[in-house]
Amino acid sequence: MSFVIAAVSRALSPQLAFLRTAIPLALNRYTTDIPDIERPAPPIKRQPSQPPTPIILEEQDIEEKHIRGWGNGGQKLNKTSSCVQLLHRPTGTMVTCQDTRYLQQNRKIALKRLKDKLDLLANGSSSKTGKKIAKLQARKHKQRQRAKKKYHSGDPPSEQIEEAAI
């Protein structure tokens, strides 16, 4: 409404300056039920997001196997059963770990990975892994936008194209 008042007040001569105060009063009186275009909308009250569901691994839900290692690492790795394979029975999620030569360390690492995997299944984008994935996707998107802006900012002018053809 202020842009209407400003336009009207500029158009008015100095003799009709009293209307500058009368116009807003008249507009407010008759347009209270009409939403004002300039007035910003009130902020939307959002419900607080649900806290992530904690993941609790119970011993009877996990099936643990010790299998022989494979790949790089020499003869010792291939002869010993230091690789740990965990299966979470309720979900059917399987994790295998062969990061170190030691069974106990591999078991700890595998349990951590299983917990992270179940957290991602249960909580989705609000899980720790989901947040990391979203952050990486946002970073890649930003890099693509920068590259697009830098290298694909537009077609070269037609004069340059004609010069290059000659």
Side-chain angles (χ1 to χ4, degrees):
M1 277 198 277
S2 61
F3 65 92
V4 173
I5 296 168
V8 171
S9 63
R10 275 188 236 120
L12 293 176
S13 63
Q15 295 89 7
L16 301 175
F18 71 93
L19 285 177
R20 288 184 189 151
T21 56
I23 290 174
L25 293 174
L27 287 176
N28 286 340
R29 186 182 323 150
Y30 297 112
T31 60
T32 53
D33 57 333
I34 300 171
D36 191 354
I37 296 171
E38 282 190 30
R39 185 178 306 137
I44 299 170
K45 293 182 181 177
R46 296 183 181 186
Q47 297 293 329
S49 62
Q50 296 289 332
T53 308
I55 303 300
I56 300 169
L57 292 177
E58 296 181 12
E59 199 64 36
Q60 67 263 14
D61 291 343
I62 298 173
E63 183 181 318
E64 184 174 340
K65 290 182 187 175
H66 305 282
I67 55 178
R68 290 205 176 159
W70 63 89
N72 297 336
Q75 184 180 8
K76 177 70 174 168
L77 178 71
N78 298 329
K79 285 171 46 177
T80 58
S81 298
S82 61
C83 182
V84 177
Q85 188 176 41
L86 298 177
L87 172 70
H88 188 251
R89 288 188 193 119
T91 60
T93 305
M94 186 178 289
V95 174
T96 306
C97 180
Q98 176 187 312
D99 290 356
T100 67
R101 293 172 51 182
Y102 306 105
L103 181 71
Q104 296 300 324
Q105 286 181 350
N106 285 335
R107 182 182 290 139
K108 286 180 185 178
I109 294 168
L111 277 170
K112 184 178 182 215
R113 287 182 185 168
L114 182 63
K115 214 171 192 180
D116 288 344
K117 210 170 194 181
L118 292 174
D119 185 31
L120 182 63
L121 282 173
N123 298 321
S125 61
S126 64
S127 68
K128 186 177 177 181
T129 310
K131 289 178 184 177
K132 282 183 183 178
I133 290 170
K135 189 175 181 180
L136 288 173
Q137 287 175 342
R139 187 182 304 155
K140 284 186 176 187
H141 178 71
K142 192 172 182 179
Q143 286 174 345
R144 272 189 251 116
Q145 293 301 320
R146 281 192 205 132
K148 194 180 284 187
K149 183 178 177 183
K150 184 175 182 179
Y151 297 111
H152 304 289
S153 60
D155 295 329
S158 59
E159 298 169 2
Q160 291 180 357
I161 294 172
E162 290 173 5
E163 291 175 10
I166 296 175

